[in-house]
Amino acid sequence: MRTIFVILFSLLAFAACKPAAEPTTDSSVDRPAPLHLPAGVELVEAYAGSGADVSIPYSKYRLDNGLTIILHEDHSDPLVRVDVTYHVGSNREEPGRSGFAHFFEHMMFEGSANVAEGQHSKILSNAGGSLNGTTNSDRTNYYESMPINQLEIALWLEADRMGFLLDAVSTEKFEVQRETVKNERGQRVDNVPYGRLGETMYKSLYPPDHPYSWPVIGWIEDLDAAELDDLRRFFLRWYAPNNAQLVIGGSIDPQQTLQWVAKYFGPIARGPDVPNLVKQPAQLSEDQYVTLEDNVHLPAIAMLFPTVYYNHPDEAPLDAAAKIMGQGRASLLYQRLVQSGRAVHVSASHSCRELACEMSFIVIQNPASGETLAEMESAIRETLREFSERSVSEDDLTKFKAQIESRQVFGMQSVAGKVSALAFSELMTGDPKHVEEEFQRYAAVSLEDVRRTFSEYIEGKPSVVVSVVPHGSTSLAAGPPDAAAPQDQELRQKLHQPGDTQSPGAASQLRVVNDNFDRSVQPEPGFNPTVDLPTIQDVRLANGVRLLAVRNEETPTVTIQVIFDAGQRDEPPGKAGLASLTAAMMTEATTGRTAAEFAEDLERIGASIGVSSGNYRTTVSLNTLNKHLEQATALMMERILQPAFLESDFNRIKSHRLESLVQGKKQGSALANRAINAMLLGPEHPLSFAGGGLTSTVETITLDDVKGFYAAHIPQHLSGVLVSTNLPMESVFASLEDLSSIAVSEVLRENLPKPPATKGRTIYLVNKDDAAQSSLHIGHPSIRYDAMGDFYRAQLMNFNLGGTFDSRINLNLREDKGYTYGVRSGFYAGPETGSFRVSTEVNKDSTAASINEILGELERYSSAGMTEKELKYLQNAIGQRDALRYETPGAKLGLLGAIIVYDLPLDYRRQQIGILRESSQERLNALAADLIQPADVAIVVVGDSDELRAELEATGIPVRQLDSDGFPIGD
C-alpha cells in the first residue's frame, strides 16, 4: 500500500533426468551452460544480458505443476536472495472481503505442517538470514536473504508453506493475527496524520466493486467479519505453484539449485487456473469533491486523475509529466507554492498498477500564507494550465531521463534489488527482460508524447478533489462534498456469505502432495562461507583528515560521505533545532546558483546531494554515476563551501519547520520519543530534544544564528571522508582535492550536564486527543557506546529479549496477545550518554496490560537471563549475518562511519565476532542482571488521557502528566 505524505534440500535422485530443453529462438536469448534438468523441470529461456548497466542475466524454467523459476548468478558475495511471489493482491478480493491477501501474508508466517509455530522466522534468523513479506494491490511476495549455505533450508521452508500451510492453521492463530492486522492498521493508517488520505482518494475514484476501491490492509468491518474458512478457501484458490514464481539470485550453483527446487516444490499439485484480470482504468464524468476530517494540524488538498495502466504506451510520458509538474525543487508546483511560502509540501506522482494508473497532486498548505484550500486548488489548476501552455523542453526530458537511469542503476547495487526487479518484470509482463526494456521505453519518450498524453488525460479533465481538514473544520474544504456515493456496505453484506464464490471447493479440501522423501526432516546447511571484511583503503588528506575507501564492483556508481564534527550537541542553550536548520539551509541557494538552478544541475546528471545533522555530526552525502563524478563533486563542494544563506530561504524554511513541529504533535511516536528523552536525560538536556527542536526553541533562531553555527563548525570541523566506488581510487581522490585545502581545527566541547537518576517506576502520560492507539516507551539510563566492551555485549544480551522478531517481548505482545504490530527493546548510546529502552504502539484498550507484560518480561530476563538454547540462537543468528552486512555501498560506508566517528581499528568487526563467540551464558546473564533494571524505569504513554488515566492508575504505578513538549504539568 502506498503512503502519501512526506511524511516493506537434499539432492533429488536422478531417477528420470533429461537434457536441457531447447531455449527460445529470440536473438537476445543465449543457450545456457549444459544442465541435466531434473524430471519435471523445463527450460523456458536463458538470457546472457546485453551488457547495459541495467541488464540482468538470468535463466527461466518451469515445473510441470506450473511454478516459474528464475535464476540469476552473482558471485560477488557469498549470499543468496529468494523471492516467492504469488499473483494475488487485494485486486483478487471482492467487496466485503477486503484485506484477505494481506491477512494471509501474516498467516504464512505462523507455521506449516512440518514447521512449528514461530519456527519459520526463527530458523532463518538462526541461519543468519533476514526475511519478510509484503502485500500490495497486485501481488503478495515473501523473501529472504541468507548466507549461500542456507539456500536449501529457505527452499524447504517456502515449499512447506506453499503446500502444507492449512495443516497448521488454527482458530487461535487466526484470531491473534486478526488482532495484529488491526493493530497494524491502527499504527500505520488510523493513528497517522493523513494516513487515510490514500484510501479515501481511491474509494472516491473507483466504484465499490472495483478492486482498487478498497485498501490493501482492508476495512475494519471486513476484518471483523472474516472467518477461518474464508482464509482456507483463499489459500486453496490462490496459493498454488501455477500462480507463483520463484526467483533466486546470488552465489548459486544452478544445477544444485534446480535439484532442490524440483525436490521440494515439484510434488505440490497445481491449483485452479488463474486468468488475467481485465484492465480497468477509472472513468470520471465530472469533478468529485470529498472532505476527510482527520487528526491533522495543516489542511491539505489532493487531486487524483485517472489515466491508463501499467506498461501502457502512455505510462512513461505521463511519468515525465508528473516529474516536471511536481517532483523536485525545480518543478512547477514547488516553485509556485513551496518556494513562495504558500505551501509546506507539494508532490506529484503517476502511480501505476496492474489494472489502472492515477496521477495525483498533493499540497499541504502553509497557514502563514493566509490562503484557503480553495485557493490551493486554484493554484494547482493554474499550474496545470501553465504546463500545458509553456511547452515541455528538451532540458525537461534530459533531467527526467537522467533520473530514471540513475534510479535503475542504483537499484542494481544489491542481489535483492536485482531479484526484485526480475520478479516484478515477470509478474507484470511475463518477461524478466522487461527490466531492461523498461529503461529503453523511458529513454524513448519524446516531447510530443508528453504533450499529447498530458492533454489527453490531465488537462481540463475531471478529478477527485479531497480536502483533508482538522476534525470539526469542514468549512475549510476546497468545495462542498458532492452527494454521497451509494454506500458499499449493502454490497459488502450481500457478498459476505458463507462459501466464497472464488473457492475451488470445500474449505477442508486439501491438495494432495505425493513425496518420495520425509519432508519433516529439516535440511542440514552446507559449510558456512568465509566472509572477509571489505578491504579498506585508509589514507590522509593533505590537511590530515582521514579518508576511508572501499571497492564496490556491483554498479558504475560513486557514493561519498563528508563528515563534519558538528551537530545537536553543539547547539547553544535555548536553540534546539539550530543544527538541523543549518543543514536545511545548506540545501538551498549557493552563492553561485539559486536553489532551483542547483537542483536542475543535479537532475541533469541524475545525482543527489543531501545534508543531514545528528547528535554529533553533520554529513554531506553524494550519490552519482561514475561518468558524472567530476560534475557531481564540484556541486558537492559548492554545497559545502558556498551556501548563500538568503533571508527569503530562511524565512520560508523556518516557517515550514514551525508548522511541521506543530503537526508532529499529532504523531504519538514523536511525542513519546521526546518525552522519554526528557525523563531520562532531563527536559533541558541538549540531547533530549528531537533534531528539529521545539516550537519554543525554533522561534528564537535567527538567520545570524545559522550563519554563526556554520561559521563556527563548517567546514573547519571536517572530521572524515568515506568513499565507495568501482572507479580507480586515484580518480576519486583527485576529484576531492578541494577538501584537502580546508584548514581544520580541533573540536572543543564543555561537559554535558549529568542526567537525573531514575528511581522507582513512574508513568508519564502525554495527552493525544482521539488517539487510535497508545504509544508506549519504557526505559532507564544505561552505559555509553563501546564497540568492543560491555555495550556490544549488552546488544548481544538483548537479542533474545527484544532485539529480533522472535524475541520474548515481541512473541508475547504480538504473537500471543495480539496487543501490538511489533515491539522492540535495545541499548542506545553515544560517546556521552546511553539508555535501555522498549518501544511499541499498542491497542489502546491493552495499554495497562501491555505495560504489565513488558515489565514482567524485563523482570524475568533480569533475574534469570537467557537459556543455553537462546545463547546458541543469538550466536548463530548474529555470527552468520556478515555475508549480508557489506554488500551495498551504503552498508560498506556504515562500517567505515563507525571507524571514523569512534576511532576504531579497521578490523573491529572481526574482533566483535570473536567477542560473540567467546561470550558465555553466565557473562551475558550477569550483564542482564546488572543493566536491565525493571524496578527503576520511566514509562511514557501517549494517548487519550481521559480514556487512559483510570486504567493506568489502577496499575498502582504513580501517574504524572507531561505536556506535549515533554515538560511536567503542575510541578
Side-chain angles (χ1 to χ4, degrees):
M1 182 167 50
R2 187 162 52 104
T3 301
I4 303 176
F5 185 44
V6 173
I7 332 215
L8 178 128
F9 315 87
S10 303
L11 288 177
L12 179 68
F14 280 81
C17 294
K18 60 182 180 180
E22 268 314 291
T24 62
T25 57
D26 188 317
S27 60
S28 64
V29 176
D30 297 334
R31 295 176 183 270
L35 293 178
H36 292 287
L37 297 183
V41 179
E42 174 191 8
L43 173 67
V44 177
E45 65 176 21
Y47 179 58
S50 67
D53 291 337
V54 296
S55 180
I56 310 175
Y58 66 88
S59 295
K60 178 177 174 180
Y61 305 86
R62 188 162 289 120
L63 298 185
D64 286 348
N65 59 14
L67 178 67
T68 297
I69 305 115
I70 298 170
L71 304 183
H72 165 67
E73 289 189 69
D74 181 338
H75 298 283
S76 57
D77 294 282
L79 57 83
V80 65
R81 174 79 162 199
V82 175
D83 181 299
V84 180
T85 297
Y86 295 88
H87 199 168
V88 54
S90 59
N91 65 5
R92 300 284 184 174
E93 299 163 351
E94 294 183 347
R97 300 174 181 275
S98 67
F100 272 45
H102 174 258
F103 195 161
F104 209 87
E105 176 207 318
H106 281 248
M107 295 301 298
M108 284 282 277
F109 288 93
E110 292 304 297
S112 48
N114 302 294
V115 181
E117 180 180 359
Q119 289 302 300
H120 185 103
S121 61
K122 197 157 191 173
I123 288 170
L124 283 171
S125 295
N126 187 63
S130 62
L131 69 156
N132 212 330
T134 66
T135 308
N136 65 25
S137 301
D138 304 324
R139 61 100 185 103
T140 307
N141 79 324
Y142 305 88
Y143 55 86
E144 43 268 328
S145 295
M146 71 287 296
I148 185 59
N149 65 314
Q150 305 290 344
L151 173 58
E152 186 182 4
I153 289 176
L155 297 177
W156 171 71
L157 288 167
E158 288 292 356
D160 206 66
R161 60 182 176 181
M162 178 185 285
F164 303 90
L165 183 92
L166 293 188
D167 302 75
V169 169
S170 67
T171 300
E172 181 182 4
K173 293 179 184 178
F174 174 82
E175 293 299 339
V176 168
Q177 290 309 310
R178 187 208 304 266
E179 291 306 306
T180 300
V181 171
K182 290 165 69 175
N183 281 322
E184 181 181 359
R185 180 184 167 88
Q187 180 175 327
R188 293 186 170 184
V189 180
D190 299 326
N191 208 37
V192 178
Y194 313 101
R196 294 184 292 126
L197 174 56
E199 65 186 31
T200 301
M201 289 196 300
Y202 297 133
K203 182 178 181 179
S204 305
L205 177 63
Y206 294 104
D209 59 347
H210 191 290
Y212 291 166
S213 69
W214 53 82
V216 173
I217 203 167
W219 303 118
I220 285 291
E221 55 266 35
D222 291 349
L223 294 173
D224 285 336
E227 299 174 355
L228 182 56
D229 275 358
D230 292 332
L231 250 66
R232 287 181 172 137
R233 281 186 284 267
F234 191 88
F235 175 82
L236 292 171
R237 178 65 185 92
W238 304 113
Y239 275 73
N242 53 302
N243 196 38
Q245 57 192 45
L246 170 62
V247 185
I248 306 171
S251 189
I252 61 174
D253 175 346
Q255 179 77 64
Q256 176 67 88
T257 300
L258 288 174
Q259 291 169 355
W260 285 331
V261 171
K263 173 179 180 176
Y264 292 110
F265 290 90
I268 301 173
R270 294 177 63 94
D273 290 338
V274 180
N276 289 327
L277 295 172
V278 177
K279 307 300 183 185
Q280 302 177 58
Q283 303 291 328
L284 285 177
S285 58
E286 59 184 0
D287 288 326
Q288 295 186 16
Y289 285 83
V290 180
T291 301
L292 170 63
E293 295 182 70
D294 199 0
N295 192 10
V296 298
H297 166 63
L298 302 176
I301 187 168
M303 298 179 67
L304 193 67
F305 293 81
T307 59
V308 288
Y309 50 83
Y310 177 76
N311 209 32
H312 186 283
D314 291 341
E315 178 194 6
L318 285 167
D319 283 354
K323 188 265 172 234
I324 299 166
M325 280 286 301
Q327 296 174 14
R329 297 188 175 198
S331 66
L332 299 177
L333 277 173
Y334 187 94
Q335 287 297 305
R336 180 185 291 273
L337 297 177
V338 178
Q339 192 69 34
S340 65
R342 299 169 66 186
V344 299
H345 168 78
V346 300
S347 66
S349 66
H350 185 233
S351 299
C352 282
R353 293 174 281 179
E354 184 176 6
L355 308 183
C357 304
E358 314 88 17
M359 187 175 292
S360 64
F361 303 97
I362 301 174
V363 175
I364 300 177
Q365 74 174 100
N366 184 357
S369 70
E371 294 185 271
T372 65
L373 287 183
E375 289 171 310
M376 291 294 101
E377 178 193 358
S378 296
I380 296 173
R381 295 189 185 279
E382 289 168 10
T383 310
L384 296 179
R385 285 193 292 273
E386 178 186 345
F387 180 84
S388 176
E389 295 168 358
R390 71 184 270 277
S391 289
V392 182
S393 69
E394 286 289 354
D395 189 48
D396 289 330
L397 279 187
T398 296
K399 291 181 290 186
F400 169 70
K401 294 176 182 180
Q403 289 191 312
I404 291 292
E405 178 187 16
S406 183
R407 184 181 66 194
Q408 292 203 282
V409 172
F410 273 92
M412 304 295 175
Q413 289 186 327
S414 67
V415 170
K418 288 180 277 192
V419 165
S420 296
L422 291 170
F424 178 82
S425 294
E426 173 65 22
L427 176 83
M428 300 297 276
T429 70
D431 182 6
K433 289 191 302 302
H434 185 72
V435 64
E436 187 172 347
E437 295 164 357
E438 180 95 330
F439 175 73
Q440 296 165 353
R441 179 162 67 109
Y442 279 84
V445 172
S446 69
L447 297 176
E448 178 53 35
D449 290 334
V450 180
R451 298 185 188 110
R452 175 186 56 78
T453 55
F454 188 81
S455 173
E456 182 175 348
Y457 300 101
I458 308 299
E459 181 186 2
K461 300 301 186 291
S463 65
V464 170
V465 183
V466 180
S467 299
V468 187
V469 300
H471 287 295
S473 301
T474 56
S475 61
L476 299 178
D482 294 323
Q487 292 297 310
D488 57 359
Q489 185 61 34
E490 182 178 336
L491 177 61
R492 186 179 284 119
Q493 291 174 345
K494 177 182 178 181
L495 290 172
H496 205 293
Q497 302 295 328
D500 191 336
T501 58
Q502 300 187 62
S503 171
S508 59
Q509 178 185 345
L510 303 182
R511 290 190 287 269
V512 177
V513 178
N514 296 312
D515 287 325
N516 60 1
F517 66 98
D518 186 352
R519 197 178 282 267
S520 68
V521 177
Q522 179 178 328
E524 292 292 331
F527 290 109
N528 198 27
T530 300
V531 181
D532 292 326
L533 292 172
T535 300
I536 301 172
Q537 193 163 351
D538 188 358
V539 300
R540 295 276 177 176
L541 301 179
N543 54 7
V545 172
R546 197 176 185 187
L547 185 152
L548 300 181
V550 292
R551 301 284 302 169
N552 176 64
E553 303 293 349
E554 297 290 317
T555 53
T557 58
V558 183
T559 298
I560 298 171
Q561 292 179 2
V562 182
I563 304 171
F564 298 92
D565 201 354
Q568 185 174 335
R569 171 67 170 83
D570 306 294
E571 294 170 340
K575 300 290 184 179
L578 176 57
S580 176
L581 270 180
T582 303
M585 285 294 291
M586 289 177 65
T587 67
E588 292 293 326
T590 67
T591 55
R593 307 165 214 252
T594 66
E597 290 169 344
F598 196 98
E600 287 182 309
D601 285 341
L602 276 178
E603 289 177 2
R604 289 185 185 102
I605 59 175
S608 64
I609 298 175
V611 185
S612 62
S613 66
N615 283 351
Y616 293 88
R617 307 287 180 276
T618 295
T619 303
V620 179
S621 303
L622 167 67
N623 289 290
T624 185
L625 300 179
N626 287 352
K627 60 186 179 181
H628 300 308
L629 175 63
E630 185 175 344
Q631 295 166 273
T633 52
L635 287 167
M636 181 183 71
M637 293 307 303
E638 183 176 332
R639 182 67 89 204
I640 293 170
L641 299 176
Q642 301 176 45
F645 293 136
L646 301 179
E647 186 82 36
S648 58
D649 287 340
F650 175 76
N651 291 338
R652 171 173 44 82
I653 289 176
K654 180 178 175 178
S655 174
H656 292 180
R657 174 64 55 83
L658 289 170
E659 294 295 346
S660 69
L661 288 172
V662 175
Q663 179 65 50
K665 293 183 179 182
K666 304 293 185 179
Q667 292 272 16
S669 58
L671 291 171
N673 193 58
R674 160 58 185 167
I676 194 70
N677 282 343
M679 294 305 99
L680 298 186
L681 294 172
E684 300 287 358
H685 191 283
L687 299 180
S688 71
F689 302 98
L694 301 177
T695 302
S696 58
T697 62
V698 173
E699 285 175 339
T700 70
I701 296 174
T702 65
L703 180 57
D704 284 341
D705 290 328
V706 170
K707 292 178 179 179
F709 189 86
Y710 173 86
H713 301 289
I714 300 171
Q716 64 265 37
H717 288 166
L718 173 65
S719 60
V721 183
L722 312 177
V723 177
S724 179
T725 184
N726 67 338
L727 284 173
M729 289 301 176
E730 293 74 17
S731 63
V732 180
F733 297 162
S735 73
L736 298 174
E737 186 176 354
D738 286 347
L739 290 173
S740 300
S741 63
I742 295 174
V744 297
S745 60
E746 183 181 359
V747 177
L748 301 175
R749 293 180 171 125
E750 296 182 0
N751 291 332
L752 285 172
K754 185 178 180 180
T758 300
K759 295 296 184 182
R761 295 173 175 174
T762 303
I763 294 174
Y764 298 96
L765 179 59
V766 181
N767 182 55
K768 180 175 180 285
D769 289 332
D770 303 317
Q773 287 191 307
S774 296
S775 299
L776 175 60
H777 286 208
I778 300 176
H780 59 70
S782 191
I783 57 178
R784 301 176 184 180
Y785 180 85
D786 179 356
M788 292 168 289
D790 278 351
F791 177 78
Y792 175 67
R793 291 184 177 89
Q795 291 176 304
L796 302 178
M797 174 266 289
N798 173 73
F799 184 79
N800 287 295
L801 172 63
T804 181
F805 179 87
D806 302 293
S807 68
R808 292 187 183 188
I809 55 175
N810 195 60
L811 290 180
N812 182 338
L813 268 68
R814 172 181 162 134
E815 297 299 294
D816 294 343
K817 305 293 192 310
Y819 291 165
T820 181
Y821 178 56
V823 55
R824 296 186 69 85
S825 67
F827 289 85
Y828 303 87
E832 298 172 288
T833 63
S835 63
F836 169 76
R837 305 184 186 197
V838 182
S839 59
T840 184
E841 304 272 325
V842 299
N843 183 324
K844 63 182 179 181
D845 296 331
S846 306
T847 304
S850 297
I851 292 172
N852 289 330
E853 289 295 333
I854 292 171
L855 292 176
E857 291 291 353
L858 298 184
E859 289 169 350
R860 287 186 288 274
Y861 206 74
S862 178
S863 62
M866 72 183 69
T867 65
E868 183 178 354
K869 184 178 180 180
E870 286 176 321
L871 172 67
K872 185 172 293 186
Y873 174 46
L874 83 88
Q875 287 178 327
N876 287 340
I878 296 176
Q880 297 186 81
R881 286 181 178 177
D882 274 4
L884 314 179
R885 289 181 70 103
Y886 314 118
E887 183 187 10
T888 65
K892 290 181 171 73
L893 294 193
L895 169 72
L896 302 188
I899 294 172
I900 286 280
V901 170
Y902 291 102
D903 194 24
L904 301 175
L906 297 182
D907 69 341
Y908 88 95
R909 278 295 301 139
R910 185 172 289 113
Q911 294 186 44
Q912 285 185 333
I913 294 300
I915 294 170
L916 169 67
R917 292 169 180 162
E918 295 165 3
S919 293
S920 65
Q921 181 183 354
E922 292 74 18
R923 180 159 190 180
L924 295 182
N925 286 348
L927 270 179
D930 183 42
L931 297 180
I932 297 176
Q933 302 164 8
D936 299 310
V937 291
I939 303 166
V940 169
V941 177
V942 178
D944 193 312
S945 59
D946 289 341
E947 296 182 13
L948 294 175
R949 178 173 284 277
E951 174 189 353
L952 296 175
E953 289 176 342
T955 64
I957 302 173
V959 179
R960 296 178 62 190
Q961 193 86 28
L962 302 181
D963 66 19
S964 58
D965 285 334
F967 292 95
I969 296 177
D971 286 9

